[in-house]
Amino acid sequence: MKVLLIGSGGREHALAWKLAQSPLLTQFYCAPGNPGIAEHAELVSLNVEDHAAVAAFCADKGIEFVVIGPEAPLVDGLADSLRAKGIAVFGPSAAAAQLEGSKGFTKDLCARYDIPTGAYRRFTDATAARAYIEEQGAPIVVKADGLAAGKGVTVAMTVDEALAAIDDCFEGAFGAAGAEVVVEAYLDGEEASFFCLSDGETALALATAQDHKRVGDGDTGPNTGGMGAYSPAPVMTPEMVSRTMSEIIEPTIRGMAESGYPFTGVFFAGLMITAKGPELIEYNVRFGDPECQVLMMRLKSDLLPLLYAAATGTLDKVSAEWSDDVALTVVMASKGYPGSYDKGTPIKELPQTREGEKIFHAGTALKDGALVATGGRVLNVTATGKSVAEAQAHAYMLVEHVGWENGFCRRDIGWRAVAREQQ
């Protein structure tokens, strides 16, 4: 099979690394890719916003299957454009991608199909939203309705903080994404990420993970795209996985199909495990970043037939096998992230990795043949072990040997699970 992967981050490097191991693969391209992905695929400089150019490239190269990594091209309808040309695509239609592209769309679906989530209201003007917050009190959660690159959510512990978030949204801090706002109840519990493939009718549960959103040790400081993750998440017991499938995922698949937007691709459910059980915080319609990196380290099955089955309505014919090992990834970011940071800083050395270890490239480029950091999140230093503590020790040992002066990372990725292991 000839395959094209769309994207350029750490998630896409992990997908490329895993797809490249498939015996079914005959030719593999990635647009635009990065220097890490270049080890596994031929890089192509395509403008992914130009759907006709992507379709023409697929026709020219005889590409049978396209895997779309990031959310923006999905919300923009790239999957629809390619399917219209008869190309199999992993990833939802623009209509189904509203699950991530509109927080309000998802909350309304939850209300219609009795999917457990925080109580909410949708607003298109600041005065009504402010009045509702004054009435409800804090803690409370304010979300820009649209895509805001992970930055449009404020978990406000005070009314003043919530009112400031409302003003940010309606004053244009998130552009068009903030033209509508969802205000919802604060859920108390432990967060977990759950991943599940769907072909529109059938669901195939993948694995669980736990992300670390805040930039500082001990979960302090501003929110980021994610500073590290590990899989599996101990809070997701077999009972919680079973309840998540029956109470959240299956009603969503049914609801999307009945609404005329059958969902194909991967559900990434952000969950809060509360005293009542699993509740949905949000859906994403692509693999998490950096959760994808730890999932791919644990997946024993060939990834390509799993993604192809989701794209072609044959998910009932495949299954996924997972390693019992724990995988843990530490994100190395440019100093200053998630605020402003220097670009183009040199990465002088990356350590050699052994089996069960991998350094994924998230924001790198080659400049005059030398590796440089181009993004906020730059490297995903990933390792496995029999326990979270062991995987954590292996990952941080690798971090010590990365020669990048402008890099920093959290020093406590996996801390909740390590504490649980020590009890």
Side-chain angles (χ1 to χ4, degrees):
M1 193 184 292
K2 294 178 179 177
V3 176
L4 170 65
L5 172 65
I6 302 288
S8 63
R11 161 184 49 222
E12 287 77 32
H13 188 183
L15 292 171
W17 171 74
K18 193 67 186 170
L19 287 168
Q21 297 168 32
S22 175
L24 303 174
L25 194 66
T26 49
Q27 260 184 306
F28 190 22
Y29 302 93
C30 182
N34 67 37
I37 295 172
E39 295 172 22
H40 314 292
E42 185 180 324
L43 302 192
V44 190
S45 59
L46 276 175
N47 174 8
V48 298
E49 291 177 11
D50 184 346
H51 297 187
V54 178
F57 176 81
C58 292
D60 181 46
K61 299 292 185 184
I63 286 163
E64 301 142 271
F65 186 39
V66 177
V67 177
I68 302 176
E71 61 275 16
L74 293 167
V75 172
D76 190 39
L78 179 58
D80 307 78
S81 301
L82 295 175
R83 284 194 188 106
K85 301 286 186 187
I87 299 162
V89 183
F90 178 79
S93 65
Q98 288 180 91
L99 276 175
E100 178 165 359
S102 168
K103 306 282 191 299
F105 173 89
T106 299
K107 297 297 269 190
D108 288 352
L109 184 88
C110 289
R112 272 203 310 280
Y113 288 90
D114 207 20
I115 295 164
T117 188
Y120 75 104
R121 287 271 298 277
R122 299 174 73 169
F123 297 96
T124 51
D125 78 280
T127 308
R130 291 172 70 93
Y132 180 71
I133 285 166
E134 296 276 13
E135 177 192 312
Q136 294 295 313
I140 198 160
V141 181
V142 177
K143 296 179 174 179
D145 181 71
L147 290 185
K151 310 263 187 340
V153 175
T154 301
V155 180
M157 301 314 284
T158 65
V159 167
D160 284 348
E161 197 183 345
L163 296 177
I166 291 292
D167 292 342
D168 278 349
C169 286
F170 286 116
E171 285 166 12
F174 307 108
E180 184 174 334
V181 170
V182 172
V183 180
E184 66 182 49
Y186 170 81
L187 296 176
D188 197 20
E190 188 169 347
E191 281 191 62
S193 303
F194 182 73
F195 296 86
C196 175
L197 297 181
S198 167
D199 65 5
E201 290 182 14
T202 303
L204 175 65
L206 294 179
T208 64
Q210 197 163 56
D211 186 14
H212 300 62
K213 280 285 182 221
R214 292 187 184 265
V215 74
D217 288 4
D219 294 335
T220 56
N223 268 349
T224 68
M227 293 301 291
Y230 61 90
S231 173
V235 70
M236 289 298 286
T237 59
E239 185 211 354
M240 283 302 164
V241 169
S242 168
R243 285 188 60 184
T244 299
M245 289 299 286
S246 62
E247 295 172 27
I248 296 176
I249 301 291
E250 285 162 12
T252 302
I253 292 176
R254 189 172 69 250
M256 292 296 281
E258 287 176 8
S259 304
Y261 318 121
F263 186 94
T264 69
V266 63
F267 284 115
F268 162 12
L271 304 174
M272 187 69 80
I273 309 306
T274 70
K276 291 191 284 188
E279 297 196 43
L280 183 72
I281 301 172
E282 64 178 9
Y283 269 128
N284 297 303
V285 298
R286 36 71 194 179
F287 283 104
D289 191 348
E291 293 98 333
C292 184
Q293 290 81 316
V294 289
L295 295 191
M296 293 305 110
M297 294 294 277
R298 291 187 55 228
L299 180 63
K300 290 165 82 169
S301 309
D302 186 348
L303 178 64
L304 185 50
L306 296 180
L307 301 188
Y308 192 71
T312 55
T314 54
L315 209 48
D316 57 341
K317 309 269 194 304
V318 297
S319 60
E321 192 185 348
W322 298 88
S323 163
D324 291 332
D325 284 355
V326 173
L328 183 142
T329 190
V330 177
V331 172
M332 295 193 72
S334 295
K335 285 176 184 169
Y337 175 80
S340 57
Y341 52 85
D342 290 340
K343 293 185 178 169
T345 59
I347 300 170
K348 290 179 177 164
E349 189 183 357
L350 292 179
Q352 290 294 313
T353 53
R354 299 172 299 189
E355 190 166 340
E357 301 173 344
K358 183 72 183 169
I359 297 177
F360 296 109
H361 292 234
T364 67
L366 287 175
K367 189 177 174 186
D368 303 326
L371 193 66
V372 295
T374 55
R377 296 188 299 164
V378 175
L379 298 169
N380 311 133
V381 182
T382 314
T384 55
K386 296 296 176 200
S387 64
V388 181
E390 189 178 295
Q392 183 192 58
H394 290 169
Y396 281 110
M397 214 176 297
L398 282 175
V399 166
E400 292 306 318
H401 293 95
V402 172
W404 176 34
E405 282 181 17
N406 199 51
F408 81 97
C409 65
R410 276 185 57 165
R411 292 282 163 183
D412 65 345
I413 299 303
W415 66 280
R416 287 179 192 278
V418 171
R420 204 180 247 131
E421 286 174 353
Q422 291 167 349
Q423 282 173 2

